[in-house]
């Protein structure tokens, strides 16, 4: 192919390839155990796969309705009511998306005008800020501080001004594994009361919380639900990240704007998987057992880390474990993550990737490991890390 002859002004000049693709690729190149990108290394439930195949064979292979297959929207609304006591109208307030990242991108694009401000709490999943910037918005970054990573509510209140359009929040939190408490929801409700500020609530790890915790969804808080896009993901809940199916719950006015954009981003999401998920959701056991399932993995991984010089931080939710390498090395986290992949054969994600301007200092010498892996993989990874 000849080279492009024109000049190119990038819409995202500061953005390279997302760290998740970079580290997964490096892991593959070096045959490393891949605990970097967040995905399970075990199979999806065979009966769920069978349901998809059944719907395909039965001919459900053409476009689903733009907002999502009706049975799936109904099942999502029924689950939101059963779990969080939230009442969403499947017709006007539930939209099926091609995964959580598309849901977030679409919600941000639907609301943000050029010059609008969007508050993001760092460390943050790396798709939020580029979505704001592509819409012409300005990202206002506030910091969560280790080891508790609590939202800085006074700073949030101070950051809200006449240009603030959105706040993006995330609990259970990627990458820190922290979760919100009731007081956090009240603080957010207080901060936005009397404003036009809307909220994107990334809750894709909603079913992965530990030690008897209950996930506090913004959908279950009437004051917050009224102004929130609540984003969920079946990839995380049913071990099918490659299927790319998620959803957005939002009041009718917000959903109408969301769908205006959604229809031109993906138009609609694949039909047989939607119909299979609708049936799968009918059994609450499919998500109720998830905390115990992942808690066993978290505990196994943390126990294995005890034999290494890495120090695990608290992990209340998600399938991510942060570890501190303070005292072990003063390498930048990205250099260490790459070295561990090459030399020890264990891939992780450097936490600096979740910041625009990564903080430095001993408290920020952190790597993120994904423990959504089989017991053998976790044990092998810890054995390799013990050589550090
Ligand atoms: N959410 C996943 C993670 O944080 C990855 C998503 C992706 O690869 N884009 O690892």
């Amino acid at each position: 192919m000849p080279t492009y002859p024109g000049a190119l002004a990038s819409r995202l000049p500061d953005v390279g390839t997302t760290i998740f693709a970079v580290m997964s690729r490096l892991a593959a190149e070096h045959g490393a155990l891949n605990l970097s990108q967040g995905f399970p290394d075990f199979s999806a439930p065979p009966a769920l796969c069978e349901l998809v195949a059944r719907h395909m064979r039965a001919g459900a292979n053409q476009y689903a309705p733009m907002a999502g297959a009706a049975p799936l929207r109904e099942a999502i609304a029924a689950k939101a009511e059963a779990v969080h006591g939230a009442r969403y109208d499947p017709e006007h307030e539930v939209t099926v998306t091609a995964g959580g990242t598309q849901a977030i991108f679409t919600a941000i694009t639907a609301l943000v005008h050029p010059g609008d401000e969007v508050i993001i709490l760092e460390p943050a999943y790396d798709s939020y800020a580029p979505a704001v910037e592509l819409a012409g918005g300005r990202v206002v970054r506030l910091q969560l501080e280790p080891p508790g990573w609590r939202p800085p509510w006074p700073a949030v209140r101070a950051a809200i001004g006449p240009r603030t359009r959105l706040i993006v929040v995330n609990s259970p939190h990627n990458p820190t594994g922290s979760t919100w408490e009731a007081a956090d929801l009240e603080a957010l409700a207080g901060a936005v009361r009397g404003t036009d500020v809307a909220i994107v609530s990334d809750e894709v790890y909603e079913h992965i919380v530990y030690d008897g915790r209950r996930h506090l969804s913004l959908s279950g808080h009437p004051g917050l639900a009224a102004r929130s896009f609540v984003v969920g993901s079946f990839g995380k809940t049913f071990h099918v990240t490659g299927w790319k199916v998620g959803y957005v719950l939002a009041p009718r006015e917000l959903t109408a704007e969301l769908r205006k954009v959604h229809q031109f981003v993906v138009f609609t999401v694949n039909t047989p998987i939607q119909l299979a998920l609708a049936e799968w959701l009918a059994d609450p056991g499919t998500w109720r057992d998830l905390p115990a399932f992942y808690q066993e993995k978290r505990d196994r991984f943390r126990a294995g880390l005890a034999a290494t010089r890495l120090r695990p931080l608290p992990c209340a939710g998600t399938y991510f474990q942060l570890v501190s390498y303070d005292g072990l090395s003063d390498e930048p986290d990205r250099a260490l993550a790459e070295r561990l992949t090459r030399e020890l054969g264990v891939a992780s994600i450097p936490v600096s990737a979740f910041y625009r301007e990564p903080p430095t200092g001993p408290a920020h010498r952190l790597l993120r490991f994904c423990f959504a892996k089989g017991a053998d993989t976790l044990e092998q990874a810890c054995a390799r890390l013990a050589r550090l």
Side-chain angles (χ1 to χ4, degrees):
M1 181 64 62
T3 53
Y4 176 67
L8 264 185
S10 176
R11 296 287 316 281
L12 292 172
D14 300 326
V15 166
T17 302
T18 167
I19 190 70
F20 308 110
V22 169
M23 292 308 299
S24 272
R25 185 181 165 158
L26 194 69
E29 274 168 22
H30 293 275
L33 299 171
N34 188 0
L35 275 58
S36 65
Q37 193 177 26
F39 64 88
D41 76 344
F42 36 86
S43 352
L48 176 56
C49 297
E50 197 39 55
L51 278 178
V52 176
R54 223 187 59 213
H55 283 289
M56 275 188 185
R57 284 194 295 265
N61 297 305
Q62 309 308 328
Y63 297 126
M66 183 270 279
L72 181 55
R73 281 184 282 123
E74 282 156 21
I76 292 168
K79 175 163 123 9
E81 180 160 10
V83 180
H84 303 298
R87 305 279 297 265
Y88 286 92
D89 171 4
E91 190 58 29
H92 301 290
E93 299 178 327
V94 180
T95 307
V96 180
T97 60
T101 302
Q102 185 242 316
I104 292 162
F105 184 91
T106 306
I108 289 173
T109 306
L111 250 68
V112 174
H113 289 251
D116 284 353
E117 292 180 355
V118 177
I119 297 173
I120 286 179
L121 308 178
E122 286 187 333
Y125 182 55
D126 69 348
S127 85
Y128 305 159
V132 174
E133 283 157 6
L134 285 172
R138 194 172 83 78
V139 181
V140 175
R141 294 178 164 82
L142 304 176
Q143 312 288 312
L144 308 172
E145 296 295 339
W149 311 102
R150 307 312 315 158
W153 293 118
V156 171
R157 284 194 293 275
I160 293 177
R163 307 224 65 154
T164 311
R165 180 75 289 242
L166 270 180
I167 301 182
V168 184
V169 298
N170 169 220
S171 173
H173 186 256
N174 179 10
T176 68
S178 58
T179 55
W180 278 25
E181 289 156 18
D184 293 310
L185 279 78
E186 289 312 324
L188 178 59
V192 296
R193 194 168 296 131
T195 72
D196 293 331
V197 175
I199 299 163
V200 172
S201 184
D202 174 354
E203 301 185 15
V204 298
Y205 301 99
E206 63 184 320
H207 293 294
I208 312 181
V209 289
Y210 305 123
D211 308 312
R213 285 184 178 76
R214 219 173 66 76
H215 168 61
L216 299 175
S217 174
L218 269 54
S219 68
H221 183 293
L224 291 170
R227 54 171 82 226
S228 296
F229 297 97
V230 175
V231 175
S233 160
F234 295 114
K236 273 70 177 174
T237 305
F238 298 140
H239 317 316
V240 291
T241 61
W243 288 8
K244 297 296 299 175
V245 184
Y247 58 90
V248 182
L249 306 171
R252 189 173 179 138
E253 298 71 20
L254 294 183
T255 295
E257 293 304 313
L258 176 94
R259 289 182 183 175
K260 285 187 197 175
V261 179
H262 173 78
Q263 64 187 337
F264 298 125
V265 176
V266 292
F267 177 56
T268 183
V269 175
N270 82 76
T271 309
I273 289 180
Q274 288 195 63
L275 296 176
L277 286 169
E279 285 183 49
W280 196 247
L281 278 170
D283 171 11
T286 55
W287 71 82
R288 227 186 256 148
D289 300 340
L290 215 56
F293 175 80
Y294 273 122
Q295 186 162 320
E296 192 270 331
K297 293 188 182 296
R298 179 200 65 169
D299 293 347
R300 178 185 296 274
F301 187 51
R302 289 173 68 91
L305 286 171
T308 76
R309 295 167 66 205
L310 299 166
R311 288 199 317 273
L313 270 63
C315 172
T318 75
Y319 45 49
F320 301 119
Q321 174 65 58
L322 289 192
V323 303
S324 163
Y325 62 92
D326 182 33
L328 238 173
S329 158
D330 47 21
E331 277 165 283
D333 59 357
R334 182 144 182 179
L336 180 64
E338 289 176 4
R339 190 163 71 78
L340 295 183
T341 308
R342 281 194 311 268
E343 295 178 6
L344 294 186
V346 185
S348 58
I349 297 285
V351 172
S352 60
F354 294 79
Y355 292 90
R356 171 58 58 92
E357 284 171 31
T360 51
H364 289 280
R365 297 195 176 120
L366 300 171
L367 298 174
R368 188 198 82 176
F369 289 91
C370 171
F371 55 79
K373 310 291 165 188
D376 286 356
T377 311
L378 294 176
E379 270 157 34
Q380 256 194 59
C382 292
R384 293 182 187 187
L385 292 169
R387 305 212 299 266
L388 186 69

